[in-house]
Amino acid sequence: MPISLAVTPTNSTTLWIAIPMLLCFFGLMIGVGFACRKHSVSVDSFVLGGRSVGPWLTAFAFGTSYFSAVIFVGYAGQFGWNFGLASTWIGLGNAFIGSLLAWLVLGKRTRVMTQHLGSKTMPDFFEKRYDSKKLKVVASFIVFVFLIPYTASLYNGLSSLFNNVFAIPYFVVVLIMAVLTGIYVIFGGYMATAVNDFIQGIIMLAGIVAVIASVLTQNGGLNAAVEALNVQAGTEFTSCFGPNPIFLFFVVMLTSLGTWGLPQMVGKFYSIKDEGSIKKGTLISTVFAVIVAGGCYFLGGFGKLYTSQMIESGYFNTETGKVLFDKVVPTMLSDLSPVIISLIIVLVLAASMSTLSSLVLTSSSTLTLDVIKPLASKKSEMSEKKSVFVLRIFIVFFIAVSAVIAILKDSIWADSVFIAQMMGVSWGALAGAFLAPFLYGLYWKGTTKAAVAASFIFGTGLEIIQLCISVGWLSVKGIPVIEFIFTNSLYSGVFAMVGGLILVPIVSLLTQKTLPQNIEEKFACYNK
C-alpha cells in the first residue's frame, strides 16, 4: 500500500528538522545492531535472544511488529472514512483480543511447550508437536509464499514516504531502506530487533499522542471536532457502531484474532525469559496497543472533516465515490507544524522498520532451520557457526527479494492488481492455516496430524480462491453464501480462521489413528 505524506521538498523548515532526526534515528538503530553482536553467536541467541528477553522488550516487540505504517496511514484512513469514530473499535479489538487475550491464552503455554520441545519456529513446532516432517515443510512453504509479499508492501510504504518528502528516486529509497534494515538484523539478530523495537515503540507512542492532540486542536478541540463531524458526515459517523456494523465486526476479528496465527507474532512468546515476565508483558502490550492502535483508528475517524481538501487534491471523486484511502491521513496532517510532521516521518519509519525486521527474521529463520538445515544434516551436521552464517545469508536473500518486488511493483507491475491482492490475502492465509492447529496443539492432546493438514489446506485454499476472484480469474456471482464469503479478503480471512477452529476438532475426532504416540510426554511440561 503506497504511503505518502502531503509534504513537499520545498518545505525547507520541515526538511531541516526532519533530516537531523532521521540521521539520529538511523545511527541509533545501526549502533544497537553492532552492540548486540555478542547476543547472536548461536542459533538460539540469534533467532530467540537465548530465550531470555525481558517483558518490556518482548511486549514492545509484539506491539511494534503488530502495528506498521500500513495501519497508521492506510487502514486508519480507509476504515476511519468508512466507519467514522466507530473505527476506534478496531483499535480496541486489536488491544483486547489481538494483544491482551493473545498473551493470556497463548503466552505461557507457548513459552513452556516450545522450550520443552526445543522448537524455534512455528513450522518446527508443528513437526515436534505432531511428529511430522511433512507438516513442517508445508508450513515453511506457506510462510515463505505469504510473508514475502507482506514484506514487499512495507518497502513500498517506506519508499513512497521518503520519495514524497525528499524527492529521492523510488528505487534509491528502496535500496537505502534494505541496507539499513539489513545491517542491524544481520549483525544483532533477535536481540537487536527487540531493543530497536523498544526504541521504535517509544517513538510511536509519543508520535501518536502528539498527532492526535494536534489534529484535535486544529479542529477546535474534541467536542468541536465531534460536532463538526456529526454535521458534515452525518450522525451515523459519530454513532457507537457506525454505518456498517457487520463489516466493522469482520475487520475487528481479522485484524485482532489473526495475530494468534501469525508466526512473526507468536514467535515473540518463544523468546520471553520466564512465566513471571509474561504477566508483566501482558499489561505492557495491552496498554501499548490501546494507545497506538486505538489512537490510529480514532484519528482516522475524523477523516471526513477533510472532505473538501480531498476533493481539491483529486483524492476523492464525488461522482464515482472513489476514494484514495491512503491519502486520507496524510491530508489530515498536511497543515500541521513542521515539528509534528517531522515526528510523523520518524513515527511512520519506526512503525515500518519494526514490522519489516520481524518479518525478515521470521522468514529467514523458517527457511534456514526448517528446510535448509535438515537437508544439509543428511550429508553432514551443520555447526552453530555455520547455521548462523546461513541465517544471515537468507536475511540478505529475503531483503533483496522483497526489495526487488517493491521496485517491480512500482514500475513494471504498476497497473497490475495481482501483487496488491496477494498482499491483501497474506494475513488471512497465514492466520487461517496456522491459528487453529497452533491453539489446539497447545491445549488439546487429541489434535491429530490429519486435522493440522486439513487446516493448512482449508486456510490457504480459501485465500487462494479469494486471490483468483479479486484479480478476475474466477467468479462466484449468483451463489449468495459463497459470494458473501468472498466479498473481500477481510471476510474470507475471518471465515478461514473460524472454519479452521471448527474443522480441526471435527477432523481430529475422525482421525485418531494419526494421533502422535508420545502425546503424554509432550504435555508433561505443563505439570512441572
Side-chain angles (χ1 to χ4, degrees), residues 396-451:
V396 175
F397 169 75
F398 274 96
I399 289 176
V401 170
S402 57
V404 169
I405 292 176
I407 293 171
L408 292 177
K409 170 66 174 64
D410 183 66
S411 53
I412 299 175
W413 298 332
D415 297 324
S416 173
V417 296
F418 181 80
I419 294 297
Q421 294 299 338
M422 186 68 176
M423 293 169 186
V425 302
S426 293
W427 184 293
L430 290 165
F434 296 150
L435 189 156
F438 188 81
L439 177 62
Y440 285 118
L442 295 175
Y443 279 89
W444 185 34
K445 298 176 182 178
T447 313
T448 64
K449 289 183 281 188

Side-chain angles (χ1 to χ4, degrees), residues 375-522:
L375 290 175
S377 63
K378 293 180 180 179
K379 300 179 181 179
S380 62
E381 187 67 27
M382 186 182 288
S383 66
E384 286 285 297
K385 187 175 182 180
K386 188 174 181 180
S387 297
V388 173
F389 176 76
V390 174
L391 271 167
R392 288 178 166 134
I393 292 297
F394 276 103
I395 286 174
V396 175
F397 169 75
F398 274 96
I399 289 176
V401 170
S402 57
V404 169
I405 292 176
I407 293 171
L408 292 177
K409 170 66 174 64
D410 183 66
S411 53
I412 299 175
W413 298 332
D415 297 324
S416 173
V417 296
F418 181 80
I419 294 297
Q421 294 299 338
M422 186 68 176
M423 293 169 186
V425 302
S426 293
W427 184 293
L430 290 165
F434 296 150
L435 189 156
F438 188 81
L439 177 62
Y440 285 118
L442 295 175
Y443 279 89
W444 185 34
K445 298 176 182 178
T447 313
T448 64
K449 289 183 281 188
V452 177
S455 182
F456 286 0
I457 295 170
F458 180 76
T460 56
L462 206 65
E463 290 307 298
I464 289 172
I465 293 172
Q466 174 68 65
L467 180 63
C468 293
I469 293 172
S470 298
V471 299
W473 295 345
L474 184 66
S475 176
V476 293
K477 290 184 178 179
I479 313 174
V481 176
I482 303 299
E483 190 175 350
F484 176 76
I485 292 174
F486 294 106
T487 300
N488 55 52
S489 59
L490 289 169
Y491 281 52
S492 60
V494 172
F495 277 101
M497 291 187 298
V498 175
L501 291 171
I502 297 171
L503 188 65
V504 167
I506 293 175
V507 175
S508 292
L509 293 174
L510 296 175
T511 58
Q512 286 297 294
K513 290 183 179 180
T514 63
L515 190 69
Q517 296 299 314
N518 58 342
I519 191 65
E520 293 297 333
E521 192 278 330
K522 297 179 190 297

Side-chain angles (χ1 to χ4, degrees), residues 17 31 37-38 61 158 246 271 278 297 345 420 436 442 510 512:
I17 297 174
R37 283 180 296 174
K38 62 182 179 180
L158 288 168
I246 295 177
S271 61
I278 292 174
Y297 288 108
I345 292 170
L442 295 175
L510 296 175
Q512 286 297 294

Side-chain angles (χ1 to χ4, degrees), residues 97-213:
I97 300 175
S99 295
L100 175 63
L101 205 56
W103 278 75
L104 292 175
V105 175
L106 300 178
K108 182 178 180 180
R109 295 185 79 91
T110 298
R111 200 267 177 189
V112 172
M113 182 173 277
T114 56
Q115 186 176 35
H116 176 66
L117 298 178
S119 61
K120 297 179 176 66
T121 66
M122 185 175 277
D124 191 32
F125 170 83
F126 290 132
E127 179 197 16
K128 293 176 178 177
R129 167 62 179 83
Y130 298 106
D131 293 337
S132 174
K133 291 184 178 180
K134 292 181 179 178
L135 288 179
K136 180 173 75 171
V137 173
V138 173
S140 300
F141 180 75
I142 293 172
V143 171
F144 174 80
V145 169
F146 289 101
L147 277 190
I148 283 286
Y150 189 6
T151 307
S153 71
L154 293 173
Y155 275 113
N156 270 331
L158 288 168
S159 301
S160 297
L161 165 66
F162 277 80
N163 179 254
N164 279 270
V165 175
F166 301 111
I168 302 174
Y170 183 89
F171 77 93
V172 174
V173 180
V174 172
L175 296 177
I176 293 173
M177 295 312 306
V179 171
L180 289 172
T181 305
I183 287 175
Y184 79 78
V185 178
I186 290 168
F187 282 98
Y190 182 82
M191 187 57 74
T193 301
V195 174
N196 278 334
D197 284 349
F198 181 77
I199 297 169
Q200 291 158 353
I202 296 294
I203 295 171
M204 290 168 66
L205 287 172
I208 290 296
V209 172
V211 170
I212 292 174

